[in-house]
Amino acid sequence: METIFSGIQPSGTPTIGNYLGALKQFVQLQNDYNCYFCIVDEHAITVPQDRLKLRENIRSLAALYVACGLDPEQATLFIQSEVPAHAQLGWMLQSISYMGELERMTQFKDKSAGKEAISSALFTYPSLMAADILLYNADIVPVGEDQKQHLELTRDLAQRFNNRFNDIFTIPDIRMPEVGARIMSLQEPTKKMSKSDENEKGFISMLDTPKQIEKKIKSAVTDSEGVVKFDKVNKPGVSNLLTIHASCSGESIEELEKRFAGQGYGDFKQSTANAVLSVLQPIQEKHAELMQSEELDDILDSGAEKANQAANKTLAKAMKAMGLGRVK
Ligand code: TYM
């Protein structure tokens, strides 16, 4: 059975973008692959985090994974910092990563732009991400479009390590959803929707109340044409809502264009909000139940145990290949 690895940062509550680009795929894939899904808290600290908020976000993200339909009996769900091999292999991969290739990463450029105190970990972030994936010999990494460049670097690093030392790592393939790989901000539809956006009206958090969700969709930026048509270049706002609607309701974009032909944006926005609510409400109910239960700790304990076992095997091979430590 092929292996899948993916991760989400607990740097805020996931958005509908994280759901449609990543979580939704995870749930669909869990039956057919040996899956590892990670709460990448060591990635989250590459930018400043409030420690209590971070702890809360980690737990809430674990609950969301399960609430979305991940079955912990099938998929291994764990917290990155509870598997020390990630940081160890991350360091080893930094030693074969070049400054030039890290400097080219658009996520680093975006996150560091205009900031003064930029952590060195934000810069070397992609080497840690490569370690996450390579430790489990993942064949496939399901992610949204924004992670494509990091995945390409992961493949390069794996290849470089294999050529230079020993053929240890599997070269992973990326997998993106056909619709929903890049959900845009509701306020600036040419910019990616992000959970760390300062403007809360730009994103729908998976734990927003129905009222908040309706309000945010109703005030989403569109255009003055009044035609529900998919045209990313000239109508980015409407196209984004069409994408959100289609991936939540399962209808095709063409079907939606037909259904709303000749109507203004009011009904279309209401219908989009309903589609989002029909996906998020059951998840929110399950999330609330899980947050009150002890089940979550058991899931994370057994996930960490399984992940440590798999990761330590690969780490030992990689250390040997590089000549670290002693011969045992
Ligand atoms: P993160 O936490 O930013 O996002 C988690 C997942 O959600 C996807 N995503 C989106 N998809 C569609 N539209 C959007 N607007 C949108 N925003 C985010 C992301 O592509 C991602 O799949 N570096 C990663 C976390 C990570 C990781 C890994 C992922 C660390 N190690 C190993 C895969 C494998 C990140 O920052 O994701």
Side-chain angles (χ1 to χ4, degrees), residues 15 25 44 60 70 90 95 119 167 179 192 211-212 233 246 254 258 260 267 292:
T15 67
Q25 295 196 72
S60 176
L70 280 184
S95 74
S119 76
D167 210 2
V179 181
K192 184 190 79 170
K211 256 209 178 123
Q212 282 172 316
V233 177
E254 297 76 51
K258 264 190 216 146
F260 292 100
D267 289 349
Q292 305 298 328

mmCIF file of all heavy atoms in Angstrom, residues 15 25 44 60 70 90 95 119 167 179 192 211-212 233 246 254 258 260 267 292:
data_model
loop_
_atom_site.group_PDB
_atom_site.id
_atom_site.type_symbol
_atom_site.label_atom_id
_atom_site.label_comp_id
_atom_site.label_asym_id
_atom_site.label_seq_id
_atom_site.Cartn_x
_atom_site.Cartn_y
_atom_site.Cartn_z
ATOM 1 N N THR A 15 -8.947 27.441 7.589
ATOM 2 C CA THR A 15 -9.981 28.138 6.823
ATOM 3 C C THR A 15 -10.671 27.145 5.881
ATOM 4 O O THR A 15 -10.223 26.013 5.730
ATOM 5 C CB THR A 15 -9.357 29.232 5.943
ATOM 6 O OG1 THR A 15 -8.560 28.584 4.938
ATOM 7 C CG2 THR A 15 -8.493 30.186 6.743
ATOM 8 N N GLN A 25 -9.386 16.312 0.817
ATOM 9 C CA GLN A 25 -8.641 15.260 0.103
ATOM 10 C C GLN A 25 -8.197 14.172 1.072
ATOM 11 O O GLN A 25 -8.221 12.993 0.750
ATOM 12 C CB GLN A 25 -7.340 15.798 -0.470
ATOM 13 C CG GLN A 25 -7.363 16.814 -1.527
ATOM 14 C CD GLN A 25 -5.962 16.854 -2.183
ATOM 15 O OE1 GLN A 25 -5.582 15.947 -2.907
ATOM 16 N NE2 GLN A 25 -5.200 17.913 -1.915
ATOM 17 N N ALA A 44 4.941 26.045 12.888
ATOM 18 C CA ALA A 44 4.203 27.235 13.337
ATOM 19 C C ALA A 44 5.108 28.218 14.085
ATOM 20 O O ALA A 44 4.907 29.436 14.001
ATOM 21 C CB ALA A 44 3.019 26.810 14.218
ATOM 22 N N SER A 60 -7.181 21.978 19.001
ATOM 23 C CA SER A 60 -8.335 22.231 18.148
ATOM 24 C C SER A 60 -8.118 21.650 16.743
ATOM 25 O O SER A 60 -9.043 21.093 16.137
ATOM 26 C CB SER A 60 -8.571 23.738 18.077
ATOM 27 O OG SER A 60 -9.603 24.026 17.193
ATOM 28 N N LEU A 70 -11.573 11.992 9.490
ATOM 29 C CA LEU A 70 -10.404 11.105 9.519
ATOM 30 C C LEU A 70 -10.600 10.073 10.612
ATOM 31 O O LEU A 70 -10.970 10.407 11.738
ATOM 32 C CB LEU A 70 -9.131 11.908 9.789
ATOM 33 C CG LEU A 70 -8.565 12.625 8.588
ATOM 34 C CD1 LEU A 70 -7.266 13.303 8.950
ATOM 35 C CD2 LEU A 70 -8.334 11.659 7.431
ATOM 36 N N GLY A 90 15.483 17.249 9.765
ATOM 37 C CA GLY A 90 15.397 18.613 9.225
ATOM 38 C C GLY A 90 16.782 19.265 9.226
ATOM 39 O O GLY A 90 17.186 19.899 8.247
ATOM 40 N N SER A 95 21.772 20.738 5.852
ATOM 41 C CA SER A 95 23.186 20.701 5.474
ATOM 42 C C SER A 95 23.367 20.380 3.988
ATOM 43 O O SER A 95 24.459 20.553 3.461
ATOM 44 C CB SER A 95 23.949 19.702 6.352
ATOM 45 O OG SER A 95 23.618 18.393 5.964
ATOM 46 N N SER A 119 13.009 35.120 11.542
ATOM 47 C CA SER A 119 13.780 34.029 12.163
ATOM 48 C C SER A 119 14.492 33.216 11.083
ATOM 49 O O SER A 119 14.024 33.109 9.948
ATOM 50 C CB SER A 119 12.856 33.118 12.970
ATOM 51 O OG SER A 119 12.115 32.278 12.110
ATOM 52 N N ASP A 167 20.799 5.415 -1.486
ATOM 53 C CA ASP A 167 19.436 5.494 -2.016
ATOM 54 C C ASP A 167 18.415 5.173 -0.918
ATOM 55 O O ASP A 167 17.974 4.032 -0.808
ATOM 56 C CB ASP A 167 19.332 4.484 -3.168
ATOM 57 C CG ASP A 167 18.354 4.946 -4.203
ATOM 58 O OD1 ASP A 167 17.794 6.055 -4.034
ATOM 59 O OD2 ASP A 167 18.126 4.211 -5.176
ATOM 60 N N VAL A 179 -10.609 21.003 -8.264
ATOM 61 C CA VAL A 179 -11.262 22.276 -7.929
ATOM 62 C C VAL A 179 -10.943 22.570 -6.460
ATOM 63 O O VAL A 179 -11.084 21.690 -5.620
ATOM 64 C CB VAL A 179 -12.797 22.173 -8.110
ATOM 65 C CG1 VAL A 179 -13.477 23.496 -7.795
ATOM 66 C CG2 VAL A 179 -13.132 21.725 -9.521
ATOM 67 N N LYS A 192 -4.233 34.754 -1.997
ATOM 68 C CA LYS A 192 -4.669 33.470 -1.413
ATOM 69 C C LYS A 192 -5.391 33.671 -0.078
ATOM 70 O O LYS A 192 -5.000 34.520 0.711
ATOM 71 C CB LYS A 192 -3.397 32.631 -1.192
ATOM 72 C CG LYS A 192 -3.622 31.241 -0.691
ATOM 73 C CD LYS A 192 -2.304 30.593 -0.263
ATOM 74 C CE LYS A 192 -1.853 31.067 1.094
ATOM 75 N NZ LYS A 192 -0.733 30.345 1.682
ATOM 76 N N LYS A 211 -23.743 32.852 11.300
ATOM 77 C CA LYS A 211 -23.959 34.285 11.035
ATOM 78 C C LYS A 211 -22.718 34.928 10.426
ATOM 79 O O LYS A 211 -22.804 35.695 9.467
ATOM 80 C CB LYS A 211 -24.288 34.995 12.361
ATOM 81 C CG LYS A 211 -25.738 35.328 12.501
ATOM 82 C CD LYS A 211 -25.891 36.564 13.373
ATOM 83 C CE LYS A 211 -27.354 36.913 13.478
ATOM 84 N NZ LYS A 211 -27.787 36.959 14.875
ATOM 85 N N GLN A 212 -21.564 34.612 11.031
ATOM 86 C CA GLN A 212 -20.298 35.181 10.520
ATOM 87 C C GLN A 212 -20.065 34.736 9.077
ATOM 88 O O GLN A 212 -19.662 35.535 8.226
ATOM 89 C CB GLN A 212 -19.113 34.697 11.373
ATOM 90 C CG GLN A 212 -18.971 35.425 12.700
ATOM 91 C CD GLN A 212 -17.899 34.757 13.572
ATOM 92 O OE1 GLN A 212 -17.841 33.534 13.682
ATOM 93 N NE2 GLN A 212 -17.062 35.561 14.195
ATOM 94 N N VAL A 233 -9.541 35.842 -14.577
ATOM 95 C CA VAL A 233 -8.792 37.068 -14.819
ATOM 96 C C VAL A 233 -9.662 38.298 -14.608
ATOM 97 O O VAL A 233 -9.305 39.227 -13.888
ATOM 98 C CB VAL A 233 -8.203 37.061 -16.255
ATOM 99 C CG1 VAL A 233 -7.478 38.357 -16.547
ATOM 100 C CG2 VAL A 233 -7.279 35.863 -16.410
ATOM 101 N N ALA A 246 -18.934 25.228 -5.682
ATOM 102 C CA ALA A 246 -18.840 23.935 -6.381
ATOM 103 C C ALA A 246 -18.166 22.894 -5.495
ATOM 104 O O ALA A 246 -18.655 21.762 -5.389
ATOM 105 C CB ALA A 246 -18.073 24.107 -7.686
ATOM 106 N N GLU A 254 -20.086 24.767 -14.219
ATOM 107 C CA GLU A 254 -21.010 25.014 -15.353
ATOM 108 C C GLU A 254 -22.469 24.930 -14.886
ATOM 109 O O GLU A 254 -23.296 25.751 -15.274
ATOM 110 C CB GLU A 254 -20.802 24.005 -16.492
ATOM 111 C CG GLU A 254 -19.434 24.048 -17.156
ATOM 112 C CD GLU A 254 -18.336 23.399 -16.325
ATOM 113 O OE1 GLU A 254 -18.535 22.253 -15.880
ATOM 114 O OE2 GLU A 254 -17.296 24.047 -16.090
ATOM 115 N N LYS A 258 -25.257 28.026 -14.985
ATOM 116 C CA LYS A 258 -26.577 27.910 -15.615
ATOM 117 C C LYS A 258 -27.674 28.259 -14.611
ATOM 118 O O LYS A 258 -28.604 28.999 -14.898
ATOM 119 C CB LYS A 258 -26.797 26.473 -16.108
ATOM 120 C CG LYS A 258 -26.445 26.305 -17.563
ATOM 121 C CD LYS A 258 -26.915 24.935 -18.074
ATOM 122 C CE LYS A 258 -25.908 24.387 -19.070
ATOM 123 N NZ LYS A 258 -25.777 22.939 -19.024
ATOM 124 N N PHE A 260 -27.655 30.097 -12.018
ATOM 125 C CA PHE A 260 -27.760 31.501 -11.595
ATOM 126 C C PHE A 260 -27.738 32.488 -12.768
ATOM 127 O O PHE A 260 -27.585 33.688 -12.560
ATOM 128 C CB PHE A 260 -26.665 31.824 -10.565
ATOM 129 C CG PHE A 260 -26.892 31.095 -9.274
ATOM 130 C CD1 PHE A 260 -26.184 29.940 -8.984
ATOM 131 C CD2 PHE A 260 -27.857 31.525 -8.383
ATOM 132 C CE1 PHE A 260 -26.412 29.243 -7.812
ATOM 133 C CE2 PHE A 260 -28.101 30.833 -7.205
ATOM 134 C CZ PHE A 260 -27.379 29.688 -6.931
ATOM 135 N N ASP A 267 -28.776 36.104 -4.626
ATOM 136 C CA ASP A 267 -29.177 34.696 -4.471
ATOM 137 C C ASP A 267 -27.966 33.776 -4.537
ATOM 138 O O ASP A 267 -27.872 32.784 -3.822
ATOM 139 C CB ASP A 267 -30.150 34.283 -5.593
ATOM 140 C CG ASP A 267 -31.502 34.945 -5.415
ATOM 141 O OD1 ASP A 267 -31.734 35.527 -4.329
ATOM 142 O OD2 ASP A 267 -32.300 34.901 -6.373
ATOM 143 N N GLN A 292 -14.346 18.291 24.244
ATOM 144 C CA GLN A 292 -14.726 17.992 25.636
ATOM 145 C C GLN A 292 -14.273 16.594 26.065
ATOM 146 O O GLN A 292 -14.346 16.253 27.225
ATOM 147 C CB GLN A 292 -16.262 18.025 25.798
ATOM 148 C CG GLN A 292 -16.946 19.298 25.355
ATOM 149 C CD GLN A 292 -16.499 20.499 26.156
ATOM 150 O OE1 GLN A 292 -16.172 20.373 27.326
ATOM 151 N NE2 GLN A 292 -16.444 21.653 25.513
#
